[in-house]
Amino acid sequence: MRFAIELKLPLTLEAVVTFITDHVEHLGPNGLRQGLPEQVDRELVKLGIKKRVGPLALSTVEHRVAVMSEAHLAQHMESPCRVPVVQRLLSRTRRAYVKRGVRPNKVDAITLQPLKQMLETCDDSLLGIRDRALLLFAWSSGGRRRSEVVAATVENTKRRGESYVFILDHSKTNQEGRVDGSSYKPIVGAAAEALTHWLHSAGITQGTLFRQVRRYGILGGPLSTEAVRRIVIERAKRAGLDGRFAAHSLRAGFVTEAGIQGIPMAEIMAMTGHSSVASVVGYHRAGSSLTSAAARLFDDAEMRNEPTS
């Protein structure tokens, strides 16, 4: 509608930039307004694509850009959403919102205990077996992104005794499909057991690991990235967890829990595949803050100064 043509993958850089500038708020001479023409905005609402006229929340815009990116990655296409121009645009938009007192709402991290509560909601049905395997696969192998979870196959997830090695040959930070030492992500222990149970129960011997489970336990096609998001949200809801959750909560939770357990940053990044320390350090610090020796300076000093009997 905006471009008068049907948009298909791969999207152009112009389409991504226009989507962002159309739907966020800009501060102009007449106050805040969006870039989307009013007539187009009203038509989108009329068609049910938008709930109401006006700009989208920044978190919604960022989420939709992330969905666009994952759609490209799932098709092994280079994502125009990850080029420096788009990342700078989003960064400057976030700063502009912060200056106006609008701060982004981050999803809550699913650390070890919340994860266990979610796993307890997974029964012995084929659906429960799948969800348990998916949650443990995504969390334990380094907090895999949705696009990486749906890209997992029997062929790129190699059995090694009772364990597996997931070969991550395509990701947000590896769009060229190269395989090196950092591409191998171990799946061991409970995660490996759950994956084996799922594969045997579903009779999967080739192709995509995680698939739809239809009525009466009939196996369907591959899961979409949106389906992974819904699974995380639904299991968190069933577990009675309070907070705002999404698929990224597994990735954030893995890093946060690693911080709690004192895992070195280099080991965490080797698992997650993060290329920037800045992306990891916030979650790591949040996790390690309560176990920090610096936080106990007063108590430790008091203990050292206590008189001995």
Side-chain angles (χ1 to χ4, degrees):
M1 180 180 296
R2 185 71 165 96
F3 292 92
I5 60 171
E6 182 181 356
L7 296 178
K8 298 180 180 179
L9 298 183
L11 296 176
T12 64
L13 177 60
E14 178 190 6
V16 176
V17 170
T18 301
F19 171 79
I20 297 170
T21 56
D22 271 355
H23 293 287
V24 298
E25 287 185 311
H26 308 271
L27 183 59
N30 300 318
L32 292 171
R33 59 167 298 159
Q34 65 176 344
L36 192 66
E38 291 182 11
Q39 182 178 353
V40 176
D41 197 16
R42 288 194 297 270
E43 189 64 25
L44 290 175
V45 173
K46 183 179 177 181
L47 293 171
I49 298 173
K50 289 182 68 178
K51 291 182 178 180
R52 62 184 68 86
V53 295
L56 299 175
L58 178 57
S59 59
T60 301
V61 173
E62 291 181 316
H63 171 69
R64 293 188 180 178
V65 171
V67 170
M68 291 181 208
S69 182
E70 290 185 355
H72 285 80
L73 296 178
Q75 297 296 321
H76 298 282
M77 298 176 179
E78 288 193 20
S79 171
C81 307
R82 298 300 174 187
V83 300
V85 170
V86 173
Q87 294 302 300
R88 283 197 297 270
L89 175 59
L90 287 173
S91 178
R92 289 171 181 170
T93 302
R94 290 187 204 102
R95 289 200 297 270
Y97 271 59
V98 169
K99 286 181 180 178
R100 298 200 297 268
V102 181
R103 296 191 176 275
N105 294 319
K106 287 190 174 183
V107 297
D108 291 291
I110 295 175
T111 51
L112 184 59
Q113 188 53 44
L115 177 64
K116 288 181 177 179
Q117 292 175 241
M118 292 169 66
L119 294 175
E120 288 175 0
T121 72
C122 300
D123 58 20
D124 292 330
S125 67
L126 193 60
L127 191 67
I129 293 169
R130 182 203 65 188
D131 287 1
R132 178 181 177 82
L134 186 151
L135 291 170
L136 281 168
F137 175 93
W139 197 91
S140 300
S141 64
R144 303 270 60 88
R145 301 178 179 93
R146 289 185 293 170
S147 59
E148 297 165 359
V149 172
V150 300
T153 64
V154 172
E155 291 73 25
N156 63 20
T157 309
K158 306 295 186 182
R159 187 76 182 262
R160 297 288 186 268
E162 298 299 315
S163 303
Y164 296 84
V165 174
F166 174 47
I167 304 171
L168 184 60
D169 58 0
H170 207 87
S171 69
K172 173 181 170 181
T173 55
N174 177 19
Q175 297 188 30
E176 297 80 23
R178 64 181 182 278
V179 175
D180 54 30
S182 65
S183 303
Y184 297 88
K185 309 300 179 183
I187 303 166
V188 302
E193 292 174 9
L195 182 57
T196 298
H197 189 28
W198 159 244
L199 294 177
H200 286 175
S201 299
I204 296 173
T205 58
Q206 61 181 7
T208 307
L209 291 188
F210 299 109
R211 308 183 188 184
Q212 301 169 30
V213 176
R214 296 174 178 161
R215 180 178 279 189
Y216 307 119
I218 297 173
L219 206 63
L223 288 179
S224 65
T225 55
E226 175 60 21
V228 175
R229 184 184 76 88
R230 289 198 301 267
I231 288 169
V232 173
I233 293 173
E234 176 61 23
R235 290 297 172 181
K237 182 179 179 181
R238 290 192 188 187
L241 301 181
D242 293 325
R244 180 172 174 264
F245 299 100
H248 185 73
S249 297
L250 295 172
R251 189 166 175 81
F254 177 85
V255 177
T256 305
E257 184 64 35
I260 293 171
Q261 298 192 26
I263 307 298
M265 186 77 73
E267 289 187 36
I268 298 170
M269 293 180 67
M271 286 290 287
T272 62
H274 278 104
S275 58
S276 168
V277 174
S279 301
V280 184
V281 70
Y283 290 113
H284 187 269
R285 284 177 177 169
S288 61
S289 60
L290 293 179
T291 59
S292 170
R296 301 184 180 278
L297 283 180
F298 179 85
D299 292 337
D300 290 346
E302 287 293 292
M303 288 178 64
R304 286 196 298 271
N305 293 330
E306 282 183 2
T308 58
S309 55

mmCIF file with all atom_site columns, all heavy atoms in Angstrom, residues 173-190:
data_model
loop_
_atom_site.group_PDB
_atom_site.id
_atom_site.type_symbol
_atom_site.label_atom_id
_atom_site.label_alt_id
_atom_site.label_comp_id
_atom_site.label_asym_id
_atom_site.label_entity_id
_atom_site.label_seq_id
_atom_site.pdbx_PDB_ins_code
_atom_site.Cartn_x
_atom_site.Cartn_y
_atom_site.Cartn_z
_atom_site.occupancy
_atom_site.B_iso_or_equiv
_atom_site.pdbx_formal_charge
_atom_site.auth_seq_id
_atom_site.auth_comp_id
_atom_site.auth_asym_id
_atom_site.auth_atom_id
_atom_site.pdbx_PDB_model_num
ATOM 1   N N   . THR A 1 173 ? 24.666 -12.916 13.469 1.00 0.00 ? 173 THR A N   1
ATOM 2   C CA  . THR A 1 173 ? 26.044 -12.431 13.330 1.00 0.00 ? 173 THR A CA  1
ATOM 3   C C   . THR A 1 173 ? 26.847 -13.253 12.330 1.00 0.00 ? 173 THR A C   1
ATOM 4   O O   . THR A 1 173 ? 28.043 -13.044 12.178 1.00 0.00 ? 173 THR A O   1
ATOM 5   C CB  . THR A 1 173 ? 26.754 -12.457 14.695 1.00 0.00 ? 173 THR A CB  1
ATOM 6   O OG1 . THR A 1 173 ? 26.666 -13.778 15.251 1.00 0.00 ? 173 THR A OG1 1
ATOM 7   C CG2 . THR A 1 173 ? 26.110 -11.465 15.651 1.00 0.00 ? 173 THR A CG2 1
ATOM 8   N N   . ASN A 1 174 ? 26.201 -14.211 11.663 1.00 0.00 ? 174 ASN A N   1
ATOM 9   C CA  . ASN A 1 174 ? 26.877 -15.034 10.666 1.00 0.00 ? 174 ASN A CA  1
ATOM 10  C C   . ASN A 1 174 ? 25.930 -15.272 9.500  1.00 0.00 ? 174 ASN A C   1
ATOM 11  O O   . ASN A 1 174 ? 25.338 -16.332 9.358  1.00 0.00 ? 174 ASN A O   1
ATOM 12  C CB  . ASN A 1 174 ? 27.330 -16.367 11.272 1.00 0.00 ? 174 ASN A CB  1
ATOM 13  C CG  . ASN A 1 174 ? 27.972 -17.286 10.235 1.00 0.00 ? 174 ASN A CG  1
ATOM 14  O OD1 . ASN A 1 174 ? 28.405 -16.843 9.178  1.00 0.00 ? 174 ASN A OD1 1
ATOM 15  N ND2 . ASN A 1 174 ? 27.987 -18.566 10.530 1.00 0.00 ? 174 ASN A ND2 1
ATOM 16  N N   . GLN A 1 175 ? 25.775 -14.264 8.672  1.00 0.00 ? 175 GLN A N   1
ATOM 17  C CA  . GLN A 1 175 ? 24.846 -14.366 7.556  1.00 0.00 ? 175 GLN A CA  1
ATOM 18  C C   . GLN A 1 175 ? 25.495 -14.949 6.310  1.00 0.00 ? 175 GLN A C   1
ATOM 19  O O   . GLN A 1 175 ? 24.822 -15.185 5.304  1.00 0.00 ? 175 GLN A O   1
ATOM 20  C CB  . GLN A 1 175 ? 24.254 -12.984 7.250  1.00 0.00 ? 175 GLN A CB  1
ATOM 21  C CG  . GLN A 1 175 ? 23.440 -12.428 8.403  1.00 0.00 ? 175 GLN A CG  1
ATOM 22  C CD  . GLN A 1 175 ? 22.692 -11.171 8.041  1.00 0.00 ? 175 GLN A CD  1
ATOM 23  O OE1 . GLN A 1 175 ? 22.308 -10.968 6.896  1.00 0.00 ? 175 GLN A OE1 1
ATOM 24  N NE2 . GLN A 1 175 ? 22.469 -10.306 9.022  1.00 0.00 ? 175 GLN A NE2 1
ATOM 25  N N   . GLU A 1 176 ? 26.812 -15.195 6.372  1.00 0.00 ? 176 GLU A N   1
ATOM 26  C CA  . GLU A 1 176 ? 27.513 -15.759 5.222  1.00 0.00 ? 176 GLU A CA  1
ATOM 27  C C   . GLU A 1 176 ? 27.484 -17.280 5.229  1.00 0.00 ? 176 GLU A C   1
ATOM 28  O O   . GLU A 1 176 ? 27.894 -17.921 4.265  1.00 0.00 ? 176 GLU A O   1
ATOM 29  C CB  . GLU A 1 176 ? 28.979 -15.292 5.201  1.00 0.00 ? 176 GLU A CB  1
ATOM 30  C CG  . GLU A 1 176 ? 29.159 -13.787 5.041  1.00 0.00 ? 176 GLU A CG  1
ATOM 31  C CD  . GLU A 1 176 ? 28.946 -13.045 6.358  1.00 0.00 ? 176 GLU A CD  1
ATOM 32  O OE1 . GLU A 1 176 ? 29.092 -13.672 7.427  1.00 0.00 ? 176 GLU A OE1 1
ATOM 33  O OE2 . GLU A 1 176 ? 28.606 -11.857 6.304  1.00 0.00 ? 176 GLU A OE2 1
ATOM 34  N N   . GLY A 1 177 ? 27.023 -17.882 6.327  1.00 0.00 ? 177 GLY A N   1
ATOM 35  C CA  . GLY A 1 177 ? 26.948 -19.328 6.400  1.00 0.00 ? 177 GLY A CA  1
ATOM 36  C C   . GLY A 1 177 ? 28.283 -20.002 6.653  1.00 0.00 ? 177 GLY A C   1
ATOM 37  O O   . GLY A 1 177 ? 28.455 -21.187 6.357  1.00 0.00 ? 177 GLY A O   1
ATOM 38  N N   . ARG A 1 178 ? 29.232 -19.285 7.237  1.00 0.00 ? 178 ARG A N   1
ATOM 39  C CA  . ARG A 1 178 ? 30.544 -19.894 7.489  1.00 0.00 ? 178 ARG A CA  1
ATOM 40  C C   . ARG A 1 178 ? 30.464 -20.788 8.734  1.00 0.00 ? 178 ARG A C   1
ATOM 41  O O   . ARG A 1 178 ? 29.683 -20.544 9.652  1.00 0.00 ? 178 ARG A O   1
ATOM 42  C CB  . ARG A 1 178 ? 31.601 -18.817 7.696  1.00 0.00 ? 178 ARG A CB  1
ATOM 43  C CG  . ARG A 1 178 ? 31.379 -17.956 8.930  1.00 0.00 ? 178 ARG A CG  1
ATOM 44  C CD  . ARG A 1 178 ? 32.438 -16.878 9.107  1.00 0.00 ? 178 ARG A CD  1
ATOM 45  N NE  . ARG A 1 178 ? 32.224 -16.110 10.318 1.00 0.00 ? 178 ARG A NE  1
ATOM 46  C CZ  . ARG A 1 178 ? 31.383 -15.093 10.443 1.00 0.00 ? 178 ARG A CZ  1
ATOM 47  N NH1 . ARG A 1 178 ? 30.652 -14.721 9.398  1.00 0.00 ? 178 ARG A NH1 1
ATOM 48  N NH2 . ARG A 1 178 ? 31.243 -14.451 11.579 1.00 0.00 ? 178 ARG A NH2 1
ATOM 49  N N   . VAL A 1 179 ? 31.288 -21.815 8.738  1.00 0.00 ? 179 VAL A N   1
ATOM 50  C CA  . VAL A 1 179 ? 31.365 -22.717 9.885  1.00 0.00 ? 179 VAL A CA  1
ATOM 51  C C   . VAL A 1 179 ? 32.800 -22.709 10.396 1.00 0.00 ? 179 VAL A C   1
ATOM 52  O O   . VAL A 1 179 ? 33.742 -22.979 9.660  1.00 0.00 ? 179 VAL A O   1
ATOM 53  C CB  . VAL A 1 179 ? 30.964 -24.155 9.491  1.00 0.00 ? 179 VAL A CB  1
ATOM 54  C CG1 . VAL A 1 179 ? 31.172 -25.108 10.660 1.00 0.00 ? 179 VAL A CG1 1
ATOM 55  C CG2 . VAL A 1 179 ? 29.515 -24.196 9.030  1.00 0.00 ? 179 VAL A CG2 1
ATOM 56  N N   . ASP A 1 180 ? 32.968 -22.356 11.676 1.00 0.00 ? 180 ASP A N   1
ATOM 57  C CA  . ASP A 1 180 ? 34.273 -22.376 12.304 1.00 0.00 ? 180 ASP A CA  1
ATOM 58  C C   . ASP A 1 180 ? 34.133 -22.929 13.710 1.00 0.00 ? 180 ASP A C   1
ATOM 59  O O   . ASP A 1 180 ? 33.085 -23.473 14.074 1.00 0.00 ? 180 ASP A O   1
ATOM 60  C CB  . ASP A 1 180 ? 34.912 -20.972 12.303 1.00 0.00 ? 180 ASP A CB  1
ATOM 61  C CG  . ASP A 1 180 ? 34.012 -19.919 12.932 1.00 0.00 ? 180 ASP A CG  1
ATOM 62  O OD1 . ASP A 1 180 ? 33.221 -20.284 13.840 1.00 0.00 ? 180 ASP A OD1 1
ATOM 63  O OD2 . ASP A 1 180 ? 34.089 -18.739 12.560 1.00 0.00 ? 180 ASP A OD2 1
ATOM 64  N N   . GLY A 1 181 ? 35.163 -22.784 14.514 1.00 0.00 ? 181 GLY A N   1
ATOM 65  C CA  . GLY A 1 181 ? 35.144 -23.346 15.861 1.00 0.00 ? 181 GLY A CA  1
ATOM 66  C C   . GLY A 1 181 ? 34.035 -22.818 16.733 1.00 0.00 ? 181 GLY A C   1
ATOM 67  O O   . GLY A 1 181 ? 33.550 -23.522 17.635 1.00 0.00 ? 181 GLY A O   1
ATOM 68  N N   . SER A 1 182 ? 33.588 -21.603 16.464 1.00 0.00 ? 182 SER A N   1
ATOM 69  C CA  . SER A 1 182 ? 32.543 -20.992 17.291 1.00 0.00 ? 182 SER A CA  1
ATOM 70  C C   . SER A 1 182 ? 31.137 -21.437 16.887 1.00 0.00 ? 182 SER A C   1
ATOM 71  O O   . SER A 1 182 ? 30.164 -21.070 17.536 1.00 0.00 ? 182 SER A O   1
ATOM 72  C CB  . SER A 1 182 ? 32.639 -19.463 17.210 1.00 0.00 ? 182 SER A CB  1
ATOM 73  O OG  . SER A 1 182 ? 32.359 -19.015 15.884 1.00 0.00 ? 182 SER A OG  1
ATOM 74  N N   . SER A 1 183 ? 31.024 -22.209 15.815 1.00 0.00 ? 183 SER A N   1
ATOM 75  C CA  . SER A 1 183 ? 29.718 -22.623 15.306 1.00 0.00 ? 183 SER A CA  1
ATOM 76  C C   . SER A 1 183 ? 29.134 -23.817 16.044 1.00 0.00 ? 183 SER A C   1
ATOM 77  O O   . SER A 1 183 ? 27.949 -24.121 15.887 1.00 0.00 ? 183 SER A O   1
ATOM 78  C CB  . SER A 1 183 ? 29.820 -22.970 13.816 1.00 0.00 ? 183 SER A CB  1
ATOM 79  O OG  . SER A 1 183 ? 30.313 -21.883 13.066 1.00 0.00 ? 183 SER A OG  1
ATOM 80  N N   . TYR A 1 184 ? 29.933 -24.505 16.852 1.00 0.00 ? 184 TYR A N   1
ATOM 81  C CA  . TYR A 1 184 ? 29.500 -25.749 17.485 1.00 0.00 ? 184 TYR A CA  1
ATOM 82  C C   . TYR A 1 184 ? 28.958 -25.479 18.893 1.00 0.00 ? 184 TYR A C   1
ATOM 83  O O   . TYR A 1 184 ? 29.685 -25.041 19.778 1.00 0.00 ? 184 TYR A O   1
ATOM 84  C CB  . TYR A 1 184 ? 30.668 -26.736 17.535 1.00 0.00 ? 184 TYR A CB  1
ATOM 85  C CG  . TYR A 1 184 ? 31.142 -27.134 16.152 1.00 0.00 ? 184 TYR A CG  1
ATOM 86  C CD1 . TYR A 1 184 ? 32.111 -26.379 15.476 1.00 0.00 ? 184 TYR A CD1 1
ATOM 87  C CD2 . TYR A 1 184 ? 30.607 -28.242 15.506 1.00 0.00 ? 184 TYR A CD2 1
ATOM 88  C CE1 . TYR A 1 184 ? 32.528 -26.731 14.200 1.00 0.00 ? 184 TYR A CE1 1
ATOM 89  C CE2 . TYR A 1 184 ? 31.026 -28.603 14.230 1.00 0.00 ? 184 TYR A CE2 1
ATOM 90  C CZ  . TYR A 1 184 ? 31.987 -27.841 13.584 1.00 0.00 ? 184 TYR A CZ  1
ATOM 91  O OH  . TYR A 1 184 ? 32.390 -28.192 12.318 1.00 0.00 ? 184 TYR A OH  1
ATOM 92  N N   . LYS A 1 185 ? 27.674 -25.758 19.082 1.00 0.00 ? 185 LYS A N   1
ATOM 93  C CA  . LYS A 1 185 ? 27.009 -25.483 20.350 1.00 0.00 ? 185 LYS A CA  1
ATOM 94  C C   . LYS A 1 185 ? 26.590 -26.817 21.003 1.00 0.00 ? 185 LYS A C   1
ATOM 95  O O   . LYS A 1 185 ? 25.781 -27.565 20.438 1.00 0.00 ? 185 LYS A O   1
ATOM 96  C CB  . LYS A 1 185 ? 25.766 -24.620 20.136 1.00 0.00 ? 185 LYS A CB  1
ATOM 97  C CG  . LYS A 1 185 ? 26.030 -23.367 19.294 1.00 0.00 ? 185 LYS A CG  1
ATOM 98  C CD  . LYS A 1 185 ? 27.061 -22.448 19.907 1.00 0.00 ? 185 LYS A CD  1
ATOM 99  C CE  . LYS A 1 185 ? 27.311 -21.225 19.023 1.00 0.00 ? 185 LYS A CE  1
ATOM 100 N NZ  . LYS A 1 185 ? 28.373 -20.358 19.572 1.00 0.00 ? 185 LYS A NZ  1
ATOM 101 N N   . PRO A 1 186 ? 27.157 -27.136 22.164 1.00 0.00 ? 186 PRO A N   1
ATOM 102 C CA  . PRO A 1 186 ? 26.853 -28.417 22.806 1.00 0.00 ? 186 PRO A CA  1
ATOM 103 C C   . PRO A 1 186 ? 25.454 -28.473 23.401 1.00 0.00 ? 186 PRO A C   1
ATOM 104 O O   . PRO A 1 186 ? 24.952 -27.494 23.944 1.00 0.00 ? 186 PRO A O   1
ATOM 105 C CB  . PRO A 1 186 ? 27.914 -28.500 23.901 1.00 0.00 ? 186 PRO A CB  1
ATOM 106 C CG  . PRO A 1 186 ? 28.233 -27.071 24.224 1.00 0.00 ? 186 PRO A CG  1
ATOM 107 C CD  . PRO A 1 186 ? 28.128 -26.333 22.925 1.00 0.00 ? 186 PRO A CD  1
ATOM 108 N N   . ILE A 1 187 ? 24.845 -29.638 23.289 1.00 0.00 ? 187 ILE A N   1
ATOM 109 C CA  . ILE A 1 187 ? 23.550 -29.914 23.920 1.00 0.00 ? 187 ILE A CA  1
ATOM 110 C C   . ILE A 1 187 ? 23.746 -31.164 24.757 1.00 0.00 ? 187 ILE A C   1
ATOM 111 O O   . ILE A 1 187 ? 23.895 -32.272 24.211 1.00 0.00 ? 187 ILE A O   1
ATOM 112 C CB  . ILE A 1 187 ? 22.453 -30.130 22.868 1.00 0.00 ? 187 ILE A CB  1
ATOM 113 C CG1 . ILE A 1 187 ? 22.358 -28.901 21.966 1.00 0.00 ? 187 ILE A CG1 1
ATOM 114 C CG2 . ILE A 1 187 ? 21.105 -30.401 23.528 1.00 0.00 ? 187 ILE A CG2 1
ATOM 115 C CD1 . ILE A 1 187 ? 21.564 -29.137 20.712 1.00 0.00 ? 187 ILE A CD1 1
ATOM 116 N N   . VAL A 1 188 ? 23.786 -30.998 26.059 1.00 0.00 ? 188 VAL A N   1
ATOM 117 C CA  . VAL A 1 188 ? 24.146 -32.108 26.945 1.00 0.00 ? 188 VAL A CA  1
ATOM 118 C C   . VAL A 1 188 ? 23.121 -32.254 28.070 1.00 0.00 ? 188 VAL A C   1
ATOM 119 O O   . VAL A 1 188 ? 22.226 -31.427 28.233 1.00 0.00 ? 188 VAL A O   1
ATOM 120 C CB  . VAL A 1 188 ? 25.553 -31.889 27.550 1.00 0.00 ? 188 VAL A CB  1
ATOM 121 C CG1 . VAL A 1 188 ? 26.602 -31.758 26.458 1.00 0.00 ? 188 VAL A CG1 1
ATOM 122 C CG2 . VAL A 1 188 ? 25.571 -30.629 28.425 1.00 0.00 ? 188 VAL A CG2 1
ATOM 123 N N   . GLY A 1 189 ? 23.273 -33.312 28.852 1.00 0.00 ? 189 GLY A N   1
ATOM 124 C CA  . GLY A 1 189 ? 22.457 -33.498 30.047 1.00 0.00 ? 189 GLY A CA  1
ATOM 125 C C   . GLY A 1 189 ? 20.974 -33.553 29.768 1.00 0.00 ? 189 GLY A C   1
ATOM 126 O O   . GLY A 1 189 ? 20.511 -34.227 28.843 1.00 0.00 ? 189 GLY A O   1
ATOM 127 N N   . ALA A 1 190 ? 20.203 -32.820 30.575 1.00 0.00 ? 190 ALA A N   1
ATOM 128 C CA  . ALA A 1 190 ? 18.747 -32.828 30.468 1.00 0.00 ? 190 ALA A CA  1
ATOM 129 C C   . ALA A 1 190 ? 18.271 -32.358 29.100 1.00 0.00 ? 190 ALA A C   1
ATOM 130 O O   . ALA A 1 190 ? 17.268 -32.871 28.577 1.00 0.00 ? 190 ALA A O   1
ATOM 131 C CB  . ALA A 1 190 ? 18.143 -31.939 31.561 1.00 0.00 ? 190 ALA A CB  1
#
